[in-house]
Amino acid sequence: MGSEYIYSGNVKPELLSAALEAYKTYRADKEPLVARIRDNERFYSESYSRGGARLAAEMTCDTPFIFAAIENARADAIDSYPSANILERSPEGTKTAELLSRIVPAQLEISEFKRAYKDNIRSKLKFGTAVYGVFYNDDTGGIDIRSVDILDIYVDMHIPDIQESRFMFISAAVENETLRVRYPEFAPMFTGDAEVETLTHSYSLKDRSNVLDCYYKRPDGSVHMMKLCRNTIIAATEDMAGYENGLYAHNMYPVVFDVLYRSEHCPFGFGMIDIGKATQIEINKLDAALTENIMCGAKPRYLSKRSGGIDEEEFRDLTRSIVHYEGDPDALKVIDSAGLSEAYLTHRERKKDELKELLANRDFQQGSTAGGVTAASAIETLQQAGEKRSRSLINDTYDSYKKIIYMMLELMRQFFEEKRVYRITDELGQKSFAAFDRSMMFSAGMEKGSSVWRRLVFDIDVLPQHENPYSRENANNTILMFWQNGMFQPQNCDAAVIALKNMSFDGKERLIADLQKYRQQYAAVQTKEVENDRKGTVNG
């Protein structure tokens, strides 16, 4: 159907053909991954969605150990939600770096990064890969950071870094009416029947059409994008004013992959379900067998001769004291149920321990302890020792976070021409407002007698915003230690402020503000007392 519409823009037909062929190849190469992801989602959902009817009918047990491990690891990641500290690389960037450190959290909140972060952490743990999209929104003039469905993105499956892929595709099912309004010259093309892939199955939507965003790199390194529907280009950045040199000045595909366990020579990874599924299935089978054995022992069964003459209705009625029979009273015998050997229970416990080791989800990481460990410091020591893998995975997420912040800063440098005002929290914990525009990310200089503008370059330092009770306790202990050592005495307040500025814990800005206010009040009182003493001496 796309052949009815003739594209006459700057994109060469050979490039379109290459893109369509690449999409076909990428999609075929991704099919085993899609099958694995769907199987993992089925396994994950069955661990909590199977009801009692199936358990009663089939004696099937699905203990959700993997579900609990994933949610525990996700909670760790949310407890360590990242924050960015922007650092200058040259002296002239100092003021801008300080300003960016204040406005980046505000811009992330506007871009709804936290929601994408929480969604993607679960996707990363379940399937091994989470995808963030960092886009400039021409309609709103803002920056969108969102979670991209792992099934909707297609890249070269034989390279470790997606930035090395010749093409990158993001598929979406868009409402026909929206497409007709935005691209009226192609309105008859948008007839619906979009094919949508989900984690469980594929289905069609008659009121939507499949639209493919095809990103590609030109030989000069610039990144462009063309929008395809039914193999026809309906929009391309090479045809848009202002985008002749590329879509984004940072010349990168606007997505970031956050991978849990990396597969060799592949941008996608594998997750906790992949490494724990086999052991979980074995535990489920053991649970089913043990439960069936226990149920057989808990509810006796009987052998009855057909000619025994036992009144079965009376026998099943537990309220009756007398059961009548005709014939042989020995015609009813109890079916003996073999007792469970301790070895079976021990084997099950060992498999549980094996799964905990595989998933790094030990008991003390969830607040449980054994062996008489009760002291808070000892529990924290055990938790910190057992969270090495968790910290490693979070650090990998921080690496992805750095890339997201870098892309966001470059989009601000490229598109924020008009001054924007952000509500920020300053170093003293006070609410204030700060203005920003792209000119602040350049410095003026002279080159051969003419004025030039140079890009300011920044480094990104990631700090965790710890939200767990132990981090709060440590912060409280730090403040108590300051008090006990006399750091809050008026004459020591300046030294305390210097020390606090180099520490990292929630609420330190408010503490610094209180100390400085206290120091000023004390200085005012001292000045007044000196003035009163001077007046008294003069009058005397």
Side-chain angles (χ1 to χ4, degrees), residues 4 28 72 81 119 147 197 204 208 233 271 276 295 300-301 313 319 336 360 372 419 436 441:
E4 300 176 13
N72 188 54
Y81 182 77
D119 290 343
S147 172
E197 290 189 352
S204 297
R208 302 192 179 195
I233 300 175
M295 292 294 291
R301 301 169 67 220
E313 291 296 328
T319 63
D336 292 329
K419 195 175 293 293
F436 176 85
M441 301 184 75

Side-chain angles (χ1 to χ4, degrees), residues 159-310:
I159 56 171
D161 185 357
I162 60 165
Q163 299 299 333
E164 299 174 5
S165 182
R166 184 183 180 189
F167 298 95
M168 183 195 73
F169 303 90
I170 299 179
S171 177
V174 185
E175 291 185 355
N176 294 323
E177 191 59 35
T178 300
L179 292 171
R180 292 179 188 127
V181 172
R182 187 175 291 271
Y183 310 103
E185 64 273 28
F186 298 102
M189 183 187 300
F190 309 126
T191 58
D193 294 332
E195 291 293 328
V196 179
E197 290 189 352
T198 68
L199 292 173
T200 55
H201 63 287
S202 299
Y203 58 91
S204 297
L205 292 174
K206 295 186 178 299
D207 62 338
R208 302 192 179 195
S209 295
N210 283 119
V211 175
L212 201 61
D213 289 347
C214 171
Y215 296 85
Y216 58 95
K217 292 191 176 183
R218 302 290 294 173
D220 61 0
S222 62
V223 172
H224 282 272
M225 189 268 285
M226 53 183 168
K227 198 175 288 285
L228 309 177
C229 182
R230 300 182 184 274
N231 298 340
T232 299
I233 300 175
I234 60 176
T237 54
E238 291 195 44
D239 303 326
M240 299 179 184
Y243 292 103
E244 296 85 358
N245 296 323
L247 177 60
Y248 296 135
H250 56 56
N251 290 334
M252 294 190 298
Y253 293 135
V255 294
V256 175
F257 275 40
D258 186 13
V259 177
L260 184 60
Y261 302 116
R262 189 170 296 279
S263 300
E264 291 294 328
H265 307 297
C266 180
F268 296 90
F270 56 95
M272 294 177 68
I273 298 177
D274 292 299
I275 63 176
K277 182 164 57 177
T279 303
Q280 176 74 76
I281 291 174
E282 188 172 350
I283 292 173
N284 291 345
K285 291 180 178 180
L286 283 170
D287 281 349
L290 294 174
T291 301
E292 185 174 6
N293 185 283
I294 292 170
M295 292 294 291
C296 289
K299 185 177 181 180
R301 301 169 67 220
Y302 299 87
L303 289 173
S304 176
K305 290 182 179 180
R306 296 186 183 278
S307 60
I310 303 294

Side-chain angles (χ1 to χ4, degrees), residues 2-9 186 232-233:
S3 59
E4 300 176 13
Y5 303 91
I6 306 301
Y7 170 75
S8 58
F186 298 102
T232 299
I233 300 175

Side-chain angles (χ1 to χ4, degrees), residues 324-345:
H324 297 89
Y325 74 95
E326 294 179 0
D328 185 3
D330 296 327
L332 192 68
K333 294 183 179 180
V334 176
I335 299 176
D336 292 329
S337 177
L340 282 172
S341 170
E342 192 68 25
Y344 299 127
L345 300 176

